[in-house]
Amino acid sequence: MASRDEDFGADLALIEGDDGMLSSSASAPAREARDWRSRYEQEYARAERERSRADTAEARCGELRRAEVGARARAGSLKWQADSNRAKLQAAREETKDVRRTAGNALALQAEVTRLEKLLSEAGIAPARRRLIARTDKERRRLRATLERVESQKATIGSLRAERGELSKKVTRLNREVARLGKRLAGAEQASERHRETIRRQYAEDLQLRAALRRLRDQSDRVRSLSEEVFWLRLALDGARAGKAAMKAKLGKLLAEKKTLSRPIAGPQLRAALRRSWQQKQTIRSQSREIRRLRRTVRASAAARAQAARHRAARETLTRALSNRTTELRVALRRSRRQKATIKLLARKNARLRKAVTASRHRIETLEAKHARLRASAAVLQKALFGSRSEQQEKPRSPRKRGQQPGAPGHGRTRRPALEEQKEERHPPRDARMCSGCGKPYVMNGERCSTIIEIAVKAHTRRIVRPRWRRSCGCASSPLEVSAPPVPRLFPGTPYGTSVWACVLFERHACLRPLHRVSAWMSDQGLPISVGTLADSVPRFLPLFEPFDDAIRAHQSETAVRHGDETVWRIQSLKEAGRSSRAWLWTSVSDDAVYFHIDPSRSARVAMQLFGGTACTLFLVCDRLSSYKTMAHELGGAVVLCWCWAHQRRDFIHGAAGQAGLTHWCQEWIERIASIYRLNEARLEHYDPARERQTAAFAQTQAALEAEVERLFADAGQELDALPAGAREARALRSLLNHRSGLSVFVDEPQVPMDNNAAERALRGPVIGRRLSFGSDSETGARFTALMYSVVATLKTNGIDVRRWLEAWLEACAENGGRPPDDPAPWLPWSMSEERRRALTAPG
């Protein structure tokens, strides 16, 4: 069991004697050690306070940044707020689940502690019991704090649910109001259309009545004229009757005169009588014509009287119809006036509704434009905050369900032949193996086998006993006393073995845990180590791994294709020296090696240091940083820059960010770049680097790729010439054409990839470690961090188990007196023996 310093007395110190043995003393050196220890604790406490303040300030900046992003996002729309609250609710639920699992683990640990307390009480080990009780109290306090955090999260969840309910109610009321206004507007338009149809129908009927009235008036005028004509005809008839009577009297006189004339008279009298007779004949003829005309007039007057009677009856009928129609028209006119008033009222309401709808539409358009601007700003802010993770485009969801599909063959259980097997025999009780009737014992009848996989990680103390042998003879030529040599230690004066240091390095640089979490994890395993002890071990480890720095760089210098990239790093000691704490983590990735370097500069000097010592023509796949361009210019043709198509694609995304009208343009260019990726993948399926002459299929795909790349650059040039001077999309097209030579290297060199995603993926782990540990405290720590990241990434690339390799390497350093072996080649993946590779290869 590991022991703590506080278990011993305060004045205890270890002094090495002349014979190499250690003895205890409470002299002045012990007091001096205590003084140094107190000064160290004070300095460490001060550093911890400074680090705590820095962490608090960093957390506060993060909170302010998140608050700004949240405020910008909440200004977008109510729907976005509901989605954000739903995401927060889901995150709270996930954290609640984690807390519940932690609480379940704590309960299980509490039961285990109770059982251990019982066993310790039976064994009579009081100090261990006190320590277990202290740990149990600590776990209980942590569990209580966890439960309090769960309660606060429940309250937060309740407030989020209430806020979501209010937002949902607001959205529902707004939709209901819009629907009600739409229904009212539709009803008003229908009523207005019905009133318009009624008015048109009444107007047509009014026109018909007016035409009938005009016809009746014309008929009345004709009847009036016929009546006057009948009156004059009657007067003419009376005159004709009086003339007829006069004619009859004259005819009687003429007959009388005829009788008189029948007597002979004289010539003059006869001539006068003939003249009178001729005149009378003429008068009779004219009177006869007049009588015939009068008779015709009388007959016509009778027909006229009959027609006049008919006209009178028709006029009376029309008068009655006009009277009734006039009444109906007056009623319709009053109804029309009321409808006109209603129409005017509805027209005013419609005008108000149209104004409201226009205002609502204008407000909706304004909100949509504002929403589009905010979404565009959110895209830009997400790009600034999250980096390239916000560049992913929306993809249609696949109809395929997640998981194994029905009817698909399963892979079965995973085989683990490398696991060590421990056999356990479990027999039934002795009473159960006896027959209850006769008492005879049961006999063995085969066995039933089952397997359970278990894992146990536990720290232990190696107590090394070296017996001393004293000579029993009096020969002076032999040593007086002999004993076994001491076990080699990695660092003299420390109680920790190589497996402990290998575990610390693995957790820190392979699992990317900060030092305080590594210390907490070691304490959970029963081996408490302070964070200061782990931090002070960094200068000791640096000389042990320095040989791999030059070895990895020398191996990469012989590689023809490498990837390069850089990202931000923090070195806190630079700020204390009055400089900016910002530094840069550079990476160089080849097929079987990864190299990292941390430097405060981002200039071409660092790029020259990483990529300048190449033994052959180097194809460097990188982004368009000016440092790479300066380095390539200084080295001439020794380095060929191959620009990354993923960064070129990013230019089109940035050009369309915040511009809703450029979304379609951006998607077209992204699709064209994706088509080049597909053609390159189809070409690489037929590419064999070992062959000097490739197949016909490769030649066909190579021609298709060359034609598509040439067409893309030609279209970019034509589109750029057609754009105005200040067009937003011109920047991406101009960059595409300016970097044409570097973007086209992969066409002629199939072994060169199109992008530097390999370097981006290599930086992912260190970036996670940077976010968890806020960078490095000193330049020595930054150097050691870059060196360990290089070693771990190189081992993982070659499929070697990192923890096994660390244990073997540190054991070799310990056997070499705490120094690295003179030749690190047997430990490098590309030069180690096959036997060692099989021993260090990851199991499974």
Side-chain angles (χ1 to χ4, degrees):
M1 181 178 294
S3 60
R4 299 185 180 181
D5 294 339
E6 54 267 22
D7 293 339
F8 302 97
D11 297 335
L12 184 63
L14 297 178
I15 299 177
E16 185 176 358
D18 297 335
D19 55 354
M21 302 300 294
L22 298 178
S23 61
S24 63
S25 175
S27 58
R31 289 192 298 272
E32 185 179 357
R34 287 199 304 274
D35 294 337
W36 279 104
R37 183 174 181 176
S38 62
R39 290 178 61 185
Y40 170 77
E41 289 177 352
Q42 292 175 1
E43 291 294 327
Y44 180 73
R46 185 179 63 81
E48 283 294 322
R49 288 194 299 272
E50 293 293 331
R51 188 175 299 154
S52 177
R53 284 198 294 270
D55 294 345
T56 305
E58 197 75 17
R60 180 59 179 168
C61 291
E63 291 175 359
L64 292 175
R65 193 181 298 110
R66 288 191 295 272
E68 180 183 358
V69 174
R72 288 177 179 274
R74 282 194 298 273
S77 64
L78 296 177
K79 182 178 179 181
W80 191 91
Q81 289 181 358
D83 295 338
S84 177
N85 291 334
R86 193 177 298 110
K88 292 180 181 179
L89 180 60
Q90 185 65 25
R93 287 175 177 172
E94 294 296 332
E95 189 172 357
T96 304
K97 291 180 181 178
D98 295 339
V99 170
R100 287 177 179 173
R101 287 195 293 269
T102 305
N105 295 333
L107 294 176
L109 289 173
Q110 186 175 3
E112 184 66 20
V113 167
T114 304
R115 186 180 66 83
L116 291 175
E117 286 180 356
K118 183 177 179 181
L119 293 176
L120 291 172
S121 62
E122 293 176 357
I125 304 175
R129 181 179 181 182
R130 285 196 298 270
R131 286 194 296 270
L132 287 174
I133 290 173
R135 288 183 61 186
T136 305
D137 294 338
K138 183 178 178 181
E139 291 293 334
R140 287 176 179 171
R141 287 194 297 271
R142 188 168 61 182
L143 178 60
R144 191 178 296 110
T146 303
L147 293 177
E148 291 177 357
R149 189 166 66 252
V150 170
E151 293 298 331
S152 63
Q153 289 175 357
K154 287 183 179 178
T156 305
I157 290 171
S159 63
L160 290 175
R161 286 177 177 171
E163 187 176 356
R164 186 181 66 178
E166 292 178 359
L167 292 176
S168 301
K169 289 180 182 179
K170 289 181 181 180
V171 173
T172 304
R173 285 198 298 270
L174 183 60
N175 294 332
R176 195 176 298 161
E177 184 67 20
V178 172
R180 186 175 61 82
L181 290 175
K183 290 181 180 179
R184 289 182 59 185
L185 180 60
E189 290 179 354
Q190 292 178 359
S192 175
E193 185 63 28
R194 288 196 299 271
H195 290 311
R196 292 193 189 97
E197 185 64 28
T198 303
I199 290 172
R200 286 194 294 269
R201 187 174 62 254
Q202 291 178 355
Y203 183 72
E205 292 179 355
D206 193 8
L207 291 178
Q208 293 177 0
L209 291 174
R210 289 178 183 274
L213 184 60
R214 284 195 298 270
R215 288 196 299 272
L216 289 175
R217 286 176 180 173
D218 295 340
Q219 291 176 358
S220 298
D221 295 337
R222 186 177 180 186
V223 167
R224 191 178 298 110
S225 62
L226 289 174
S227 299
E228 292 178 356
E229 186 177 358
V230 168
F231 175 74
W232 291 109
L233 286 173
R234 286 178 179 175
L235 292 178
L237 183 59
D238 293 339
R241 288 176 178 173
K244 184 178 179 180
M247 287 298 294
K248 286 182 177 179
K250 287 181 179 180
L251 183 60
K253 290 180 180 178
L254 289 173
L255 291 174
E257 289 178 357
K258 183 179 180 181
K259 292 178 179 180
T260 304
L261 290 172
S262 61
R263 293 186 302 271
I265 54 175
Q269 295 179 344
L270 288 174
R271 284 192 293 274
L274 286 172
R275 284 195 295 273
R276 285 196 299 274
S277 176
W278 183 77
Q279 293 177 352
Q280 289 175 355
K281 285 182 181 180
Q282 292 295 329
T283 302
I284 290 170
R285 288 192 188 94
S286 63
Q287 291 294 328
S288 298
R289 286 195 298 271
E290 185 68 19
I291 289 170
R292 286 195 297 272
R293 188 180 66 80
L294 289 173
R295 285 177 180 173
R296 287 193 300 270
T297 302
V298 170
R299 287 195 297 271
S301 64
R305 282 196 299 271
Q307 187 175 4
R310 286 195 301 274
H311 282 303
R312 277 195 220 94
R315 184 174 63 183
E316 292 176 357
T317 303
L318 289 175
T319 303
R320 288 193 298 270
L322 285 174
S323 178
N324 296 334
R325 197 60 181 173
T326 303
T327 305
E328 293 178 358
L329 287 174
R330 287 175 181 173
V331 174
L333 183 60
R334 287 193 296 270
R335 186 167 63 248
S336 177
R337 287 174 180 173
R338 288 194 302 269
Q339 290 175 352
K340 286 181 179 179
T342 305
I343 289 171
K344 290 180 180 179
L345 179 62
L346 291 175
R348 288 194 294 270
K349 289 184 178 179
N350 289 340
R352 288 196 299 270
L353 289 175
R354 287 193 185 95
K355 290 181 180 179
V357 170
T358 304
S360 299
R361 289 177 180 172
H362 179 68
R363 183 168 177 268
I364 290 172
E365 292 175 356
T366 304
L367 290 176
E368 287 179 351
K370 188 176 180 180
H371 178 63
R373 289 195 302 271
L374 289 175
R375 285 188 64 182
S377 301
V380 176
L381 291 174
Q382 284 180 357
K383 170 60 186 171
L385 184 61
F386 300 110
S388 59
R389 285 182 293 176
S390 60
E391 297 175 4
Q392 297 181 357
Q393 304 295 311
E394 296 183 358
K395 299 179 181 178
R397 298 189 62 179
S398 174
R400 180 181 180 273
K401 296 182 179 180
R402 297 182 62 184
Q404 185 177 358
Q405 302 302 307
H411 56 76
R413 296 203 174 189
T414 304
R415 298 183 180 273
R416 301 177 180 89
L419 287 181
E420 180 183 357
E421 183 176 344
Q422 297 180 1
K423 186 176 181 180
E424 296 181 9
E425 291 188 2
R426 302 179 64 88
H427 297 282
R430 185 177 296 273
D431 297 339
R433 290 180 289 171
M434 302 292 291
C435 180
S436 60
C438 63
K440 290 184 179 182
Y442 282 23
V443 295
M444 183 73 70
N445 186 27
E447 61 183 9
R448 295 176 180 174
C449 297
S450 60
T451 58
I452 299 176
I453 298 176
E454 301 284 356
I455 186 170
V457 179
K458 184 179 180 180
H460 64 280
T461 301
R462 294 172 59 191
R463 183 174 180 82
I464 303 171
V465 180
R466 294 184 295 152
R468 295 183 298 174
W469 297 84
R470 186 181 182 87
R471 74 171 181 233
S472 59
C473 63
C475 298
S477 60
S478 300
L480 179 64
E481 190 178 78
V482 294
S483 62
V487 176
R489 296 175 183 264
L490 188 62
F491 303 131
T494 59
Y496 307 115
T498 56
S499 61
V500 176
W501 294 119
C503 181
V504 170
L505 294 177
F506 178 78
E507 293 292 329
R508 177 70 181 89
H509 300 286
C511 299
L512 307 174
R513 291 187 179 183
L515 283 179
H516 66 279
R517 292 190 182 181
V518 174
S519 177
W521 183 83
M522 299 292 286
S523 299
D524 293 339
Q525 304 304 319
L527 182 60
I529 304 177
S530 65
V531 181
T533 301
L534 298 179
D536 290 341
S537 63
V538 171
R540 297 182 178 183
F541 278 115
L542 186 58
L544 301 180
F545 291 92
E546 277 185 340
F548 296 106
D549 185 274
D550 297 334
I552 295 175
R553 289 175 57 187
H555 178 71
Q556 282 194 342
S557 64
E558 301 175 358
T559 308
V561 179
R562 290 159 69 182
H563 297 259
D565 203 356
E566 70 287 332
T567 187
V568 180
W569 195 262
R570 295 285 180 183
I571 301 178
Q572 304 300 333
S573 62
L574 297 179
K575 184 181 294 185
E576 298 176 359
R579 301 165 57 186
S580 174
S581 62
R582 172 176 289 188
W584 300 93
L585 175 63
W586 293 73
T587 183
S588 172
V589 181
S590 60
D591 292 339
D592 56 351
V594 180
Y595 181 75
F596 291 98
H597 176 72
I598 297 178
D599 198 282
S601 175
R602 202 186 183 190
S603 63
R605 174 186 59 81
V606 187
M608 184 75 70
Q609 182 180 351
L610 265 69
F611 307 103
T614 177
C616 58
T617 302
L618 174 63
F619 293 94
L620 179 59
V621 185
C622 58
D623 55 13
R624 296 157 299 184
L625 183 66
S626 58
S627 301
Y628 298 119
K629 299 178 182 179
T630 304
M631 177 198 65
H633 179 71
E634 293 178 359
L635 294 177
V639 176
V640 178
L641 298 180
C642 310
W643 304 126
C644 175
W645 276 91
H647 287 77
Q648 191 63 50
R649 174 182 179 271
R650 193 177 301 167
D651 288 346
F652 291 98
I653 296 177
H654 291 175
Q659 303 292 328
L662 298 181
T663 303
H664 181 67
W665 171 82
C666 174
Q667 292 296 334
E668 287 183 351
W669 279 100
I670 289 177
E671 181 59 31
R672 295 197 65 174
I673 295 175
S675 66
I676 294 179
Y677 268 94
R678 288 192 291 268
L679 290 174
N680 187 49
E681 291 176 0
R683 178 186 66 160
L684 294 180
E685 290 179 357
H686 306 286
Y687 176 66
D688 186 4
R691 299 184 59 176
E692 295 183 0
R693 294 180 60 85
Q694 301 297 326
T695 61
F698 175 82
Q700 183 178 1
T701 54
Q702 174 75 16
L705 177 63
E706 292 176 356
E708 182 63 25
V709 172
E710 187 67 27
R711 191 181 307 111
L712 181 137
F713 285 111
D715 293 345
Q718 294 178 2
E719 186 172 346
L720 181 61
D721 295 337
L723 289 174
R728 186 182 178 92
E729 55 268 36
R731 181 176 181 181
L733 296 173
R734 192 177 297 110
S735 174
L736 177 66
L737 295 174
N738 291 339
H739 297 89
R740 178 174 182 173
S741 59
L743 291 172
S744 304
V745 174
F746 80 100
V747 178
D748 299 327
E749 302 292 338
Q751 73 276 12
V752 177
M754 290 183 62
D755 50 46
N756 67 336
N757 288 345
E760 299 279 355
R761 287 190 293 269
L763 286 174
R764 183 176 301 171
V767 167
I768 295 174
R770 178 195 65 193
R771 295 185 63 183
L772 295 176
S773 60
F774 300 101
S776 303
D777 291 337
S778 62
E779 295 188 51
T780 303
R783 183 182 175 190
F784 179 67
T785 299
L787 179 56
M788 289 306 301
Y789 281 159
S790 302
V791 172
V792 170
T794 301
L795 293 175
K796 287 184 177 180
T797 303
N798 292 273
I800 295 177
D801 187 89
V802 178
R803 187 163 183 171
R804 291 186 182 183
W805 187 92
L806 288 173
E807 292 178 356
W809 172 253
L810 295 180
E811 187 69 27
C813 293
E815 292 176 356
N816 198 30
R819 297 184 303 273
D822 297 333
D823 185 14
W827 302 93
L828 295 172
W830 46 84
S831 58
M832 67 173 53
S833 62
E834 290 296 329
E835 182 181 358
R836 176 167 291 178
R837 179 182 288 274
R838 286 193 298 268
L840 298 179
T841 301

